[in-house]
């Protein structure tokens, strides 16, 4: 047992932190947020060059990492800087699916930064259930509706889950298809997202795709990629929480009221210390989720559910307390914390919320 | 004690309901229900409708247009108002400036300004907060220097809600810098069309333009616009802060909010069943519903003790704290309820739009409301300030 | 709608508060707690004379009150003083059952203070479920085991619930019996209780009793008496919370540390104010539960479930915060708060705890 | 990073388990499991068993009997200790006085006192707190006046845990009243059999006799019982408060506590089903279990950074606060779990008894433990004091 980062990961962390604090300033990000595409192709390329994407894949898959701790290191740094480029969905989530399905060509392109992807899986009534697929496919022809598809408009290839057999809610019978950009029968209603980036409602009307992996066996691919993505989401949120906590500490010691820094008022000081304690807890939860990503399924899932539940609670505490302790300034869009708080809060709406993971944890813990 | 409405109270409620049934425009109510934002016209239109009914300013003295409703009647009106998704009246003139004028203004000031509020000639906003002052109101820096029959005002106000619509602002200004902080403050009415007044928007974290900065550069204000005595403004401001707090608990808004959460959770599916049947979500809803039931009664107990239907000092602070906690919790439940559909966001969603929202619940702006309503515990005397007041008064420390 | 106490109730409240603050001092109570019987017959008589029991019954039943607000006024005062004499079980709960069953003679005796009663209803595996009765009766002969029967040893008459038909868990088929003191076949293992008073495990081995009310219809009597007793329990807890809050306020302004009263330290001041806010909420919850005791069953039960749930949460907050803000002194048995905190906490174990009532509330609120 | 035990660590764990399997008396473990209280003999017996194994004082320097375990080994020992329901060693001598002697005591003091701790000759207790001083330790009033080769001690200590069993007490005493509060304090070892020492019991709210008052009236203490220098006692006390905090998070106790709660909730019935299947109760258990999993890792992360296996200042404060919150929450769950059977109470239940408990869970003293463990957040530096330390250090204020 040990808690030291390997030298390689330490280097990656340092490099990323330096690059992002130099280049991904609030002003840069606000311009990106206001842009039509909601992302910067330049930043994407530069980060890909720095190895952000390569770190998410194993050497076998063409990368140089791919373990839980690699994912955690990368996304914690992206989270710290409030990066809105869709590395989580476009690179990690979709890349993992393709890598496990053995599509090495596309994975290579992803690692090089030259391919944008989107996963069209969730549907208007599936909420956080991974197994509820009503979109159907006969042969290679897909019909259905997908909800809040992240990065859909920018994607060169969209991975679409469809039911090729079985009942809604069954794990068997879900097939993944690759649908190329501009494919006939795809319509999108795109919109920006609260925490940055864009997504779309996607309607599939007799759309042709090509099968990824084995027919009817898509669930296993989704589940495994989803586990990695949830670890990434937790790490990203942790990074954002660090920024929120640091901004708050700084503010409390700078801002004066009634003649003294407001951080010396005992009520705020004690609340700040509760917040810092939960930051330690969050760090541990992410460490565990990352560290057990390669463990057996039960150990992996127990720790992922625990982490996502804890991050939901700790994240809410940190973002709400950070705003409250700042006061009015935190309510303005131009202040750094506004974006960070939105990243933290909205992360509870991805890959299952606090309650969703609590229930899953209970089921596993009782088993 | 009796928790039931008397026959008279029930009759009054029927009257209120008949009014809303007849006079409240359905589209307007729908905007309120969805929280998609009201235009200036929407708000002025509703003020005119209430004024025609004689119900625009229930808390004013009868001679100026008040209704002389008792505490229970006010409560009934507020409750029905929220239930029908009627817009809230803009409080700065009606509930904040007017009581100060009644109590401390001259007869002339009352006769001149009050009718203009009622008929919509003036839209008032409030100039209290300043950058860097926050809850420490007495440290304000905006200066007014007497020159002949005018004051010359220089300085800056911030967090001025709906200042972009206003033509008049009531301000706390410093008229004497040689005395203790709270002693050199005056209460001034300023025409915003005067040269030197500039309004700059502040965009809130949910993308809305709701508050503003107001800058004063050598603004000339006639001395007859001074309310009460020079350097006594702090007294008037405090009166306002501790007395005129009707509907501070926001019970009706919370009740409407819970109804929305339940409506969504009955159609949103989770694990193949309506979310409302999920025990963990149901428990969250039930807890806040139980708290709200109690707070509705706390509110009634408190305001029924006060002759004017407004909560007195420490009780107002209690209602403010608990009321905001409950409202914010409901906002949190609403964003949870819609699941992945909390994520889509465009500022049109909260600023009025005819575009269909992407989600199945018509609930696009719910996450935005969650963020926007973090303000409830910050503005208008933060919950920390309120807790300090409660502790100090109740322990006599 | 109005929130003023009637003149009669105001008088009763004043009288009780005066009597108890004069006579039911900490020393007196500690003597009672240490005594073998765990109660004072003298106090019982004196309070009965002051009308404490009469106020719990309507004029028809021989009393002069009997409404929810009467119950609330009486028990709030008993709670304030931390009274351990079993008025709730012995007088109100059992008295209500007998009164509704039309047993006016025994009710008269109860009101006069001359009759001690106990309800033997709960069983080792029934927890807080009112309908789970496994004790059986054939004819008048009862067999079974009853758990934590309050006031069992002192009772002149014990009301015993037994199943005379139906399955465990059915509401129909529960019959109530009166069993006289010393009846053959009754054995008791008595013990003191954490919050004062005594209870016993009661075993019934071919015990003869006489039917109360109608055979098989005992559930309705239990339910109605239980509703009144729950209101009483909430009011009692509210009274105890007032005492805890007052002791804490006093202590915070008396006790000095680092040269100033600890109540002027902002962290404690803010926590105290949260506590006071919850006291207002608790007061409202009890007001509602009492005010709707005579309403239709749904309205009554919604408000009772809400109140008991809220009292469980607010009670925990108040007792834990009162102890924490006092520090060490609150940990000692001889200090008033120790007993009061135990009364508050243990009230969560009577008539259903916080979660029990939350579930019941959810069921009604969804209906 | 690697969260798994190495082969060496697994082998060590096997060794620890073998020891507990062989040497831990089943009745003793059962008393610990049920929390029914241990006698002085029980505790001394367990100390002797550990001493025979050489594991009584892992944190001491090797020359005096320490084991030189690393942080992970200590953690493994603590974890297994709790899992086997082994008694906790009484910390006052082994973990509190001894480190001060190692660091500041004379060679003679170490040579004399340490072996007597190991073989059980001396039972130590701690004389820090005084009535009215609480967490403001530096305001202490107990005085020691030098007269020849003795100090004459007068004053009173309180909250002295297990003082009724002790024959020795280490005390903070005031040796100079003319200087600033913290500067005139000395660290003195006092034989409790000396005339003038009186121990009076304090009964805690759960009826147990665990803490005491210790009174000193003209007590003669030889000067060689002064540790370190006169008037430097505050430094030694602070060293103790900020350094020797092993197992401060109480992870093992919480893990054992959750196991108890689950065991009960699997047999306790609610609505005809095991309580553990009730979603609201299950949610409470799961939340604290999740928090505890994280805290176990927080604990390991922190202590593995520290060379001596003890948490440093601010981290110790964090572990203390979160650790007590979790333990108290588990105590609360336990009292909830047993339902009506939380009510029966006789002090025999917590002080050792052969009477069968009335309830079906063998869990009589659970409510008593809930009340008793309110002390966790009060004694040993209250959670408020810890929060103050965390804020001050982390914000540099």
């Amino acid at each position: 047992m040990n808690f030291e980062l390997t030298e390689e990961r330490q280097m990656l962390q340092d490099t990323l932190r330096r690059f992002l604090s130099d280049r991904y300033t609030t002003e840069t990000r606000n311009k990106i947020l206001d842009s039509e595409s909601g992302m910067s192709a330049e930043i994407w390329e530069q980060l890909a060059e720095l190895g952000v994407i390569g770190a998410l894949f194993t050497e076998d898959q063409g990368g140089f990492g791919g373990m839980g701790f690699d994912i955690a290191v990368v996304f914690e740094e992206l989270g710290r800087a409030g990066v809105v480029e869709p590395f989580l969905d476009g690179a990690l989530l979709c890349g993992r699916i393709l890598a496990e399905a053995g599509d090495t060509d596309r994975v290579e392109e992803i690692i090089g930064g030259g391919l944008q992807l989107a996963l069209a899986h969730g549907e208007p009534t599936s909420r956080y259930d991974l197994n509820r697929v009503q979109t159907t496919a006969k042969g290679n022809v897909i019909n259905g509706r997908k909800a809040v598809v992240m990065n859909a408009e920018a994607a060169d290839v969209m991975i679409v889950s469809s039911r090729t057999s079985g009942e809604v809610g069954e794990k068997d019978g879900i097939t993944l298809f690759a649908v190329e950009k501009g494919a006939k029968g795809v319509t999108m209603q795109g919109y920006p997202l609260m925490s940055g980036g864009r997504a779309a409602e996607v309607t599939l009307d007799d759309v042709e795709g090509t099968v990824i992996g084995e027919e009817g066996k898509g669930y296993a691919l989704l589940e495994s990629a989803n586990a990695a993505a949830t670890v990434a989401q937790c790490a990203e949120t942790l990074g954002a929480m660090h920024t929120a906590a640091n901004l708050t500490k700084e503010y409390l010691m700078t801002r004066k009221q009634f003649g003294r820094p407001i951080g010396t008022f005992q009520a705020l000081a004690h609340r700040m210390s509760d917040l810092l304690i939960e930051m330690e807890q969050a760090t541990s939860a992410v460490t565990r989720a990352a560290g057990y990503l390669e463990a057996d399924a039960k150990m992996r899932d127990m720790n992922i559910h625990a982490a996502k539940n804890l991050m939901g609670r700790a994240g809410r505490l940190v973002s709400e307390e950070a705003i409250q302790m700042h006061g009015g300034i935190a309510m303005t869009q131009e202040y750094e914390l506004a974006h960070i708080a939105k990243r933290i809060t909205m992360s509870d709406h991805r890959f299952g919320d606090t309650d969703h993971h609590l229930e899953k944890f209970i089921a596993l813990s009782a088993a | 004690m009796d928790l039931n409405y008397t026959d008279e109270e029930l009759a009054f409620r029927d009257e209120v309901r008949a009014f809303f049934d007849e006079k409240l425009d359905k589209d307007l109510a729908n905007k309120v229900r969805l929280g998609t934002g009201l235009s200036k016209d929407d708000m002025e239109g509703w003020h005119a409708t209430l004024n025609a009914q004689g119900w625009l300013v229930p808390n004013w003295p009868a001679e100026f247009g008040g209704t002389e409703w008792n505490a229970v009647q006010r409560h009934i009106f507020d409750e029905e108002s929220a239930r029908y998704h009627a817009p809230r009246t803009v409080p700065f003139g009606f509930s904040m400036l007017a009581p100060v004028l009644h109590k401390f203004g001259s007869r002339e000031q009352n006769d001149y300004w009050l009718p203009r509020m009622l008929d919509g000639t003036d839209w008032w906003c409030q100039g209290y907060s300043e950058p860097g002052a926050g809850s420490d109101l007495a440290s304000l820096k905006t200066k007014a220097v007497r020159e002949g029959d005018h004051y010359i005002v220089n300085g800056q106000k911030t967090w001025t809600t709906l200042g972009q619509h206003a033509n008049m602002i009531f301000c706390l200004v410093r008229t004497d810098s040689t005395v203790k902080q709270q002693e050199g403050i005056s209460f001034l009415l300023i025409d915003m069309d005067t040269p030197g007044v500039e309004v700059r928007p502040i965009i809130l974290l949910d993308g809305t333009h709701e508050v503003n900065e107001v800058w004063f550069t050598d603004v000339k204000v006639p001395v007859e616009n001074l309310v009460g005595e020079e350097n006594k403004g702090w007294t008037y401001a405090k009166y306002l802060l501790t007395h005129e707090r009707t509907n501070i608990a926001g019970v009706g808004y919370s009740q409407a909010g819970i109804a929305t959460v339940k409506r969504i959770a009955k159609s949103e599916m989770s694990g193949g069943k309506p979310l409302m049947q999920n025990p963990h979500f149901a428990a969250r809803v039930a807890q806040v519903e139980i708290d709200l039931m109690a707070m509705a009664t706390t509110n009634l107990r408190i305001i029924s003790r006060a002759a004017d239907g407004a909560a007195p000092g420490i009780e107002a602070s209690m209602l403010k704290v608990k009321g905001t906690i409950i409202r914010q919790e409901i906002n949190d439940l609403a964003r949870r309820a819609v699941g992945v559909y909390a994520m889509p966001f465009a500022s049109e969603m909260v600023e009025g739009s005819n575009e269909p929202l992407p989600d199945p619940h018509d609930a696009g702006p719910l996450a935005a409301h969650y963020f926007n309503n973090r303000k409830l515990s910050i503005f208008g005397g933060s919950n920390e300030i309120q807790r300090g007041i409660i502790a100090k008064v109740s322990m006599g420390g």
Side-chain angles (χ1 to χ4, degrees), chain A, chain B:
Chain A
M1 194 180 274
N2 87 76
F3 293 94
E4 301 287 310
L5 278 184
T6 59
E7 212 176 306
E8 291 77 17
R9 289 179 188 137
Q10 187 63 59
M11 268 181 56
L12 181 63
Q13 187 183 65
D14 294 345
T15 309
L16 274 175
R17 195 172 298 180
R18 211 174 316 116
F19 175 83
L20 290 168
S21 78
D22 289 352
R23 305 291 301 277
Y24 210 80
T25 59
T26 309
E27 296 72 41
T28 306
R29 191 181 56 227
N30 282 347
K31 260 184 231 151
I32 297 172
L33 284 169
D34 285 343
S35 70
E36 209 160 304
S37 68
M39 59 178 285
S40 156
E42 198 191 334
I43 292 284
W44 185 276
E45 266 171 47
Q46 289 170 334
L47 284 170
E49 268 167 44
L50 286 179
V52 155
I53 307 179
L56 310 176
F57 297 91
T58 63
E59 286 185 36
D60 287 354
Q61 295 164 343
F64 59 88
M67 309 286 280
F69 287 128
D70 299 303
I71 294 171
V73 164
V74 166
F75 282 94
E76 186 179 328
E77 293 312 312
L78 297 178
R80 246 175 226 277
V83 170
V84 299
E85 279 65 23
F87 288 97
L88 206 162
D89 293 274
L92 176 68
L93 181 61
C94 293
R96 279 248 162 178
I97 290 174
L98 296 176
E100 287 206 24
D103 189 344
T104 42
D105 291 352
R106 280 209 183 98
V107 172
E108 203 185 311
E109 274 190 85
I110 294 172
I111 291 175
L115 192 67
Q116 285 287 343
L117 288 148
L119 175 63
H121 174 55
E123 301 179 359
T125 59
S126 66
R127 198 172 168 89
Y128 303 123
D129 300 328
L130 212 54
N131 53 340
R132 299 193 76 78
V133 175
Q134 289 188 285
T135 295
T136 55
K138 281 188 181 157
N140 284 349
V141 181
I142 313 163
N143 279 284
R145 156 107 188 257
K146 294 293 182 178
V148 196
V149 179
M150 312 292 283
N151 204 30
E153 297 155 311
D156 301 304
V157 178
M158 193 156 63
I159 301 175
V160 181
S161 62
S162 309
R163 188 158 288 289
T164 44
S165 67
E167 296 294 311
V168 175
E170 269 181 49
K171 292 178 182 177
D172 270 354
I174 297 173
T175 304
L176 302 184
F177 292 91
V179 172
E180 299 289 327
K181 187 169 197 144
K184 229 182 105 185
V186 175
T187 45
M188 293 189 188
Q189 182 194 5
Y191 40 74
L193 299 171
M194 176 58 80
S195 51
R198 292 181 64 84
E201 300 301 287
V202 176
T203 311
L204 302 124
D205 189 6
D206 287 338
V207 173
E208 284 189 35
T210 53
V211 173
I212 298 170
E214 260 182 273
E215 188 177 308
K217 300 291 179 205
Y219 186 81
L221 295 174
L222 286 167
E223 192 182 36
S224 154
N226 198 65
T230 308
V231 169
Q233 184 66 64
C234 289
E236 198 204 299
T237 306
L238 178 64
M241 283 161 64
H242 274 297
T243 301
N246 289 339
L247 286 169
T248 307
K249 273 201 254 181
E250 233 169 79
Y251 187 80
L252 289 181
M253 294 318 288
T254 312
R255 168 90 160 138
K256 290 185 178 163
Q257 223 169 56
F258 306 104
R260 17 191 284 236
I262 59 176
T264 63
F265 288 99
Q266 204 192 36
L268 294 189
H270 283 200
R271 282 160 60 179
M272 189 69 209
S273 81
D274 281 337
L275 193 156
L276 293 172
I277 291 171
E278 293 309 316
M279 293 290 308
E280 288 295 332
Q281 288 285 88
T283 304
S284 294
V286 172
T287 302
R288 293 178 68 98
Y292 291 120
L293 182 60
E294 289 83 27
D296 64 272
K298 183 177 172 177
M299 190 72 174
R300 176 193 73 186
D301 291 345
M302 282 271 286
N303 281 288
I304 287 177
H305 296 318
K308 193 70 170 61
N309 170 269
L310 192 145
M311 296 309 286
R313 290 182 287 135
R316 183 183 177 193
L317 177 85
V318 169
S319 75
E320 292 187 354
E321 283 288 78
I323 292 175
Q324 184 69 26
M325 292 199 270
H326 270 85
I329 180 76
M331 292 299 301
T332 66
Q333 195 173 49
E334 64 176 20
Y335 185 62
E336 175 75 1
L337 181 61
H339 175 70
I340 293 293
K342 283 189 261 183
R343 298 288 295 177
I344 297 170
T345 305
M346 298 321 290
S347 76
D348 194 36
H349 295 263
R350 301 232 53 207
F351 311 110
D353 69 2
T354 320
D355 286 349
H356 173 86
H357 287 280
L358 183 70
E359 268 194 299
K360 298 270 183 188
F361 181 88
I362 290 171
L364 277 184
S365 161
Chain B
M1 287 210 254
D2 189 351
L3 303 184
N4 301 301
Y5 287 132
T6 61
D7 287 345
E8 289 76 22
E9 288 161 352
L10 288 173
F12 176 75
R13 191 176 68 180
D14 288 343
E15 192 188 342
V16 172
R17 286 181 177 178
F19 166 72
F20 283 126
D21 281 332
E22 194 183 336
K23 296 293 170 63
L24 176 60
D25 181 71
K26 295 291 165 286
D27 288 343
L28 182 61
N30 208 37
K31 277 190 182 179
V32 173
R33 186 176 68 79
L34 296 178
T36 47
L38 300 183
S39 66
K40 187 178 184 185
D41 281 354
D42 287 335
M43 293 184 256
E44 287 186 329
W46 181 240
H47 289 167
T49 306
L50 283 172
N51 194 35
Q53 178 77 5
W55 289 357
L56 180 56
V57 287
N59 57 324
W60 286 15
E63 60 163 324
F64 292 115
T67 57
E68 303 201 303
W69 289 339
N70 64 24
V72 175
Q73 286 174 308
R74 280 160 200 257
H75 168 75
I76 288 171
F77 182 77
D78 289 340
E79 197 171 40
E80 296 301 319
S81 212
R83 214 169 63 83
Y84 275 87
H85 304 293
R88 189 180 181 174
T89 57
V90 180
F92 307 104
F94 307 135
S95 313
M96 301 178 84
L97 175 58
V100 171
L101 290 180
H102 297 148
K103 177 106 177 166
F104 304 105
S106 66
R107 183 73 213 183
E108 292 71 30
Q109 286 172 332
N110 278 281
D111 285 344
Y112 181 75
W113 295 111
L114 298 183
R116 292 168 59 95
M117 279 184 208
L118 287 182
D119 67 15
T121 309
D122 295 328
W123 183 300
W124 286 90
C125 65
Q126 183 193 40
Y128 273 25
S129 299
E130 297 190 1
S135 295
D136 183 10
L137 217 53
S139 72
L140 61 88
K141 294 195 175 64
T142 297
K143 262 194 192 165
V145 179
R146 176 87 182 249
E147 285 191 7
D149 54 0
H150 282 84
Y151 288 99
I152 307 299
V153 180
N154 279 286
Q156 186 195 346
K157 295 291 179 181
T158 192
W159 308 126
T160 307
T161 303
L162 299 184
Q164 71 267 39
H165 298 331
N167 66 312
M168 290 297 301
I169 183 168
F170 57 95
C171 284
L172 291 180
V173 294
R174 186 160 301 285
T175 37
D176 188 346
S177 311
T178 64
V179 292
K180 270 209 302 182
Q181 276 205 337
Q182 305 181 354
E183 286 171 14
I185 292 172
S186 296
F187 196 107
L188 218 52
L189 312 178
I190 304 178
D191 185 334
M192 295 175 77
D193 293 329
T194 321
V197 178
E198 194 196 339
V199 179
R200 299 183 193 167
I202 299 174
I203 305 303
L204 290 187
L205 81 174
D206 64 338
T208 53
H209 175 201
E210 189 174 291
V211 293
N212 302 271
E213 294 176 349
V214 183
W215 296 67
F216 302 94
T217 315
D218 293 332
V219 175
K220 280 181 79 175
V221 180
V223 289
E224 60 262 33
N225 281 12
L226 175 74
V227 175
E229 289 178 58
E230 200 177 84
N231 298 330
K232 291 280 166 69
W234 184 250
T235 311
Y236 315 150
K238 251 181 66 182
Y239 171 77
L240 187 43
L241 283 173
T242 53
H243 281 78
E244 275 305 316
R245 308 208 198 173
T246 54
N247 200 17
I248 197 168
V251 172
Y253 301 101
S254 288
Q255 285 166 339
I258 285 208
T260 299
V261 169
K262 285 182 163 178
R263 176 177 61 74
I264 293 167
K266 278 173 186 163
S267 67
E268 171 80 9
M269 301 299 281
S270 172
K273 280 188 288 194
L275 178 61
M276 203 59 215
Q277 287 175 29
N278 178 295
H280 306 296
F281 191 81
R284 288 183 191 272
V285 175
Q287 286 306 193
V288 74
E289 205 173 356
I290 288 169
D291 287 348
L292 179 56
M293 283 163 65
M295 192 184 62
T297 297
T298 303
N299 189 45
L300 279 165
R301 284 196 297 112
I302 287 174
I303 62 176
S304 73
R305 282 204 298 264
D308 60 356
I314 180 174
E315 283 86 356
S317 295
M318 288 181 167
L319 289 174
K320 169 94 199 299
V321 174
K322 194 71 194 178
T324 55
I325 290 172
I326 288 176
R327 281 181 73 181
Q328 291 176 335
E329 178 65 22
I330 292 169
N331 288 135
D332 181 75
L333 284 177
R335 67 122 186 121
R336 276 176 207 276
V338 292
V340 292
Y341 279 110
M343 290 191 285
F345 175 71
S347 54
E348 305 87 62
M349 290 178 186
V350 282
E351 292 192 327
S353 154
N354 295 319
E355 280 291 294
L357 297 167
D359 72 285
H361 306 295
D362 274 358
L366 289 173
H369 292 166
Y370 163 81
F371 288 111
N372 186 283
N373 273 346
R374 300 315 304 169
K375 76 185 173 197
L376 294 176
S377 48
I378 295 174
F379 293 159
S382 71
N383 280 8
E384 288 72 32
I385 292 286
Q386 309 295 346
R387 288 194 178 96
I389 293 170
I390 295 166
K392 199 164 178 188
V393 175
S394 66
M395 295 200 285

